[in-house]
Amino acid sequence: MKSNATIAARVLLGLVFFGVGMNGLLHFFPLPPSQGAAAVFIDGLIASRYFFPLLFVTYLVTGAALLIGQFVPLALTTLAPIIVNIAVMHFFLPSSGAEICLAALVTVLEMFLAWSYRAAFQTLLRAR
């Protein structure tokens, strides 16, 4: 049985990624335009034409898994490199305060949940 804090963190992280995935695919709210080095980076990803649809479907699937509480360790493992990229991009490229706060929030939630589900990751972290 997981604690209330673990459930709240799982649901919050699930809502963030499910919501961003839905918005990315269905365009409920326009995304703010990027500027400077971030714009160059984002424009390169847009030019590939496959990256953002794949990313938003990944957000949707992992967010749904977190929301319903199924395959949580798999969802956390899938999101980990994405969250590292989000954090590095927003901490090192010029970003708004809201973007930095959201990057910090998902990073903290991911680390908390990884710790909460650490038993599921023990076999991955064995040397043999």
Side-chain angles (χ1 to χ4, degrees):
M1 179 101 173
K2 295 294 180 187
S3 72
N4 288 338
T6 302
I7 294 168
R10 177 179 55 78
V11 169
L12 182 57
L13 190 63
L15 282 172
V16 168
F17 280 98
F18 188 81
V20 171
M22 288 292 287
N23 186 53
L25 293 172
L26 302 176
H27 308 290
F28 297 128
F29 304 104
L31 297 174
S34 300
Q35 298 176 1
V40 173
F41 179 68
I42 297 295
D43 288 345
L45 295 175
I46 290 170
S48 72
R49 296 181 49 176
Y50 79 91
F51 183 80
F52 279 109
L54 176 63
L55 183 66
F56 292 136
V57 167
T58 302
Y59 284 178
L60 197 63
V61 170
T62 55
L66 291 170
L67 284 172
I68 63 174
Q70 296 293 312
F71 305 106
V72 173
L74 178 60
L76 293 173
T77 302
T78 303
L79 286 174
I82 296 170
I83 290 173
V84 167
N85 191 52
I86 290 168
V88 169
M89 183 181 142
H90 288 301
F91 293 148
F92 293 107
L93 295 177
S95 299
S96 71
E99 291 170 333
I100 292 171
C101 287
L102 186 58
L105 174 68
V106 297
T107 301
V108 168
L109 290 172
E110 173 81 13
M111 291 188 322
F112 175 75
L113 287 170
W115 180 258
S116 297
Y117 286 87
R118 66 188 175 274
F121 299 111
Q122 286 178 345
T123 57
L124 292 173
L125 299 174
R126 282 195 201 130
R128 292 187 184 154

